[in-house]
Amino acid sequence: MKSQFIPYNEQQKNWDYMKRGFAPKIVSRRLIPFLAVAYMADVLGLANCATPDSVFNTGVPPCDLKKKKMKGVIFADRGVTFSGADVASAAAFIAAVKTKTTAARGGRVYPVWDLLNFEDNTGDPATGGIGNLTTATITTSDAVPAFRFGYNGTEMRHTRMSAMASATLDVFFVDEGFAVYGTLKSEGVFGGFNVLQAYGDVTKFVVADAVNQYSFRTTLGDVTEYRDKSTYVVTNSGITAAVGLVNVVLSKLSNVTNVYKIQAIADGGTNLEVLNGAALAALTWTAINLQTGAAFIVTSVADDGALDAFTITLDNTLYTALASGDKVQISGPTAAAMSAAGVKPYEMIPVIITKP
Amino acid sequence: MPKVEPIINIMVDGININATHFAKFATVDEAVAAFESDGILKAHNKSKDWAEAIYVRCRETVTPSETKDVKVTKKK
């Protein structure tokens, strides 16, 4: 492009616009040579290296966070996220986590706090050559973040924990400073790292030591989430009050036609009726006709202290209509309802009764 | 999971009664018969008079706007 004589004040005006980040107002033949070159580069689709589309920098922020030792793990059902309101303060976030511990499955979180051992099993990234004219190697694929956690487990609990292998999960990590590490799922949405695999190791007898006697492993599914989109919420020790649930297996003790005696025994053998019978009897119990999927009416519930059980009466009209061998699933109160009534942290596992 | 109708319960003498269910009966006789056939009266050693009173409470709890002038139709 021929250089054009442009009056000095016009040149100065364009330069001022450039310095302030604005596109020059004057185009085409009125551009000074420098601007003309830049304009031509845009028009011809060539890379404009002057455009700052990278966030790379090396400065030390005046306030930042450094990871401490691992303190806990919060598994979450895939897709569980926290909104901007949830992370507005440590108290708000802790409250949101507590609420999600008793949410219906699909929206629940599962904290694990009693970690004893932590191993970072993330390997080195794969490298490869770039040509036969050089010995240089570059990183060709990222290492997949993978971790092993030893915890203060017990047999029944580890059996339940090992069911993580069939669950679809995300995961948050919590360090000793109670910073909760996750990833930015979208603008203002805080979520867990996508879990490719969660796996419970076999339990071990104590030999010389008890390291990893009870342990589980987590392999993440997206290194970009972990490396490039990692973010965190700084909380406090109050977050450890958000605990996972204990399974309470409902079982049939006996029945007289539609009147069933049901026991609620937590993992490990604790019968919940003994201490919480009145509270649990006052909550809503439900049932389902497994043949049709329709709701089956529970007409009354009562605490039977003599048998350490609950008297559940099913609607006799519906019960009479069942055929011999038909099944009804009886469910206890929800985890959230029990928690609100002070019976926590439990989840009742339904019992299936079969009409004789 | 099927869509479950919201259930309103009332506690009477330590017994959790499904008020939503019993409030649907049109007459007290039908409700008392249901209490009896469900085994609630036998299981908890309760009378039919008790069942009548509970039925009225169920109606008052579930449909308070309709029970201001509850007329409990009872066969003599």
Side-chain angles (χ1 to χ4, degrees):
Chain A
M1 176 177 290
K2 290 182 179 178
S3 75
Q4 300 279 329
F5 172 73
I6 300 176
Y8 177 76
N9 58 342
E10 289 291 348
Q11 293 183 35
Q12 189 60 41
K13 188 189 300 182
N14 285 333
W15 180 242
D16 285 344
Y17 270 103
M18 270 189 59
K19 285 193 297 183
R20 286 153 56 194
F22 298 146
K25 290 179 66 180
I26 303 171
V27 298
S28 189
R29 292 174 296 168
R30 304 296 301 277
L31 286 172
I32 61 175
F34 176 79
L35 294 176
V37 171
Y39 176 75
M40 284 296 293
D42 287 340
V43 169
L44 294 176
L46 298 175
N48 189 343
C49 294
T51 303
D53 59 359
S54 169
V55 298
F56 170 72
N57 263 313
T58 58
V60 179
C63 179
D64 204 348
L65 191 75
K66 178 175 278 191
K67 283 190 170 101
K68 297 180 174 58
K69 285 198 297 184
M70 187 70 72
K71 171 70 177 178
V73 170
I74 304 176
F75 287 107
D77 287 325
R78 177 65 53 77
V80 169
T81 57
F82 296 88
S83 66
D86 291 332
V87 301
S89 68
F93 184 73
I94 291 172
V97 173
K98 285 182 178 177
T99 298
K100 291 183 190 298
T101 60
T102 58
R105 288 193 182 269
R108 188 181 295 174
V109 299
Y110 311 84
V112 181
W113 297 117
D114 48 353
L115 299 182
L116 300 175
N117 195 61
F118 171 70
E119 298 168 9
D120 189 329
N121 295 330
T122 305
D124 293 327
T127 58
I130 56 174
N132 60 7
L133 301 180
T134 174
T135 57
T137 59
I138 60 171
T139 297
T140 54
S141 63
D142 298 308
V144 178
F147 313 100
R148 185 183 189 188
F149 303 88
Y151 73 106
N152 189 22
T154 51
E155 287 298 300
M156 182 62 79
R157 181 181 174 203
H158 193 73
T159 299
R160 303 296 187 194
M161 292 268 284
S162 296
M164 64 174 63
S166 59
T168 304
L169 301 169
D170 291 336
V171 67
F172 300 84
F173 302 117
V174 186
D175 72 9
E176 285 192 336
F178 304 106
V180 179
Y181 295 86
T183 186
L184 201 62
K185 292 291 188 182
S186 62
E187 186 68 31
V189 178
F190 181 53
F193 302 109
N194 183 299
V195 173
L196 179 64
Q197 183 187 47
Y199 181 82
D201 292 326
V202 295
T203 63
K204 299 178 181 178
F205 293 96
V206 176
V207 187
D209 58 40
V211 175
N212 290 328
Q213 184 182 17
Y214 296 91
S215 66
F216 57 90
R217 301 168 192 261
T218 302
T219 301
L220 303 188
D222 187 341
V223 67
T224 303
E225 283 190 339
Y226 190 72
R227 184 187 61 203
D228 304 326
K229 297 182 181 179
S230 184
T231 188
Y232 52 84
V233 176
V234 179
T235 68
N236 55 58
S237 60
I239 197 169
T240 59
V243 297
L245 302 180
V246 176
N247 285 8
V248 178
V249 179
L250 296 181
S251 60
K252 168 195 158 184
L253 186 62
S254 64
N255 77 290
V256 176
T257 61
N258 65 304
V259 181
Y260 279 78
K261 299 289 185 180
I262 302 294
Q263 288 191 308
I265 299 177
D267 283 351
T270 301
N271 188 322
L272 289 197
E273 186 282 331
V274 175
L275 289 179
N276 306 108
L280 291 173
L283 300 176
T284 299
W285 295 58
T286 57
I288 297 173
N289 182 326
L290 290 182
Q291 282 61 235
T292 63
F296 201 100
I297 299 171
V298 174
T299 57
S300 76
V301 180
D303 177 22
D304 187 335
L307 294 178
D308 294 341
F310 297 92
T311 305
I312 310 293
T313 58
L314 302 176
D315 180 87
N316 195 48
T317 302
L318 295 177
Y319 190 81
T320 301
L322 293 175
S324 174
D326 281 355
K327 299 182 186 303
V328 175
Q329 177 175 288
I330 299 175
S331 299
T334 63
M338 288 194 288
S339 180
V343 184
K344 53 187 177 181
Y346 298 107
E347 177 176 43
M348 289 202 178
I349 307 302
V351 60
I352 296 175
I353 59 97
T354 303
K355 183 179 180 181
Chain B
M1 285 284 290
K3 186 176 180 181
V4 180
E5 178 187 15
I7 297 172
I8 299 174
N9 301 315
I10 58 173
M11 288 296 292
V12 183
D13 298 336
I15 305 167
N16 180 340
I17 301 294
N18 185 336
T20 303
H21 169 68
F22 288 105
K24 291 179 181 177
F25 290 101
T27 68
V28 67
D29 280 352
E30 291 172 5
V32 171
F35 273 105
E36 194 169 21
S37 73
D38 283 353
I40 295 174
L41 302 187
K42 182 179 179 181
H44 303 293
N45 196 28
K46 297 296 184 183
S47 67
K48 291 183 180 181
D49 288 341
W50 178 88
E52 282 184 29
I54 301 308
Y55 168 67
V56 174
R57 279 190 57 181
C58 289
R59 291 286 298 265
E60 291 173 346
T61 301
V62 176
T63 53
S65 61
E66 298 174 8
T67 56
K68 284 185 179 179
D69 299 308
V70 171
K71 292 183 179 179
V72 178
T73 305
K74 185 172 181 179
K75 291 182 181 178
K76 296 290 183 182

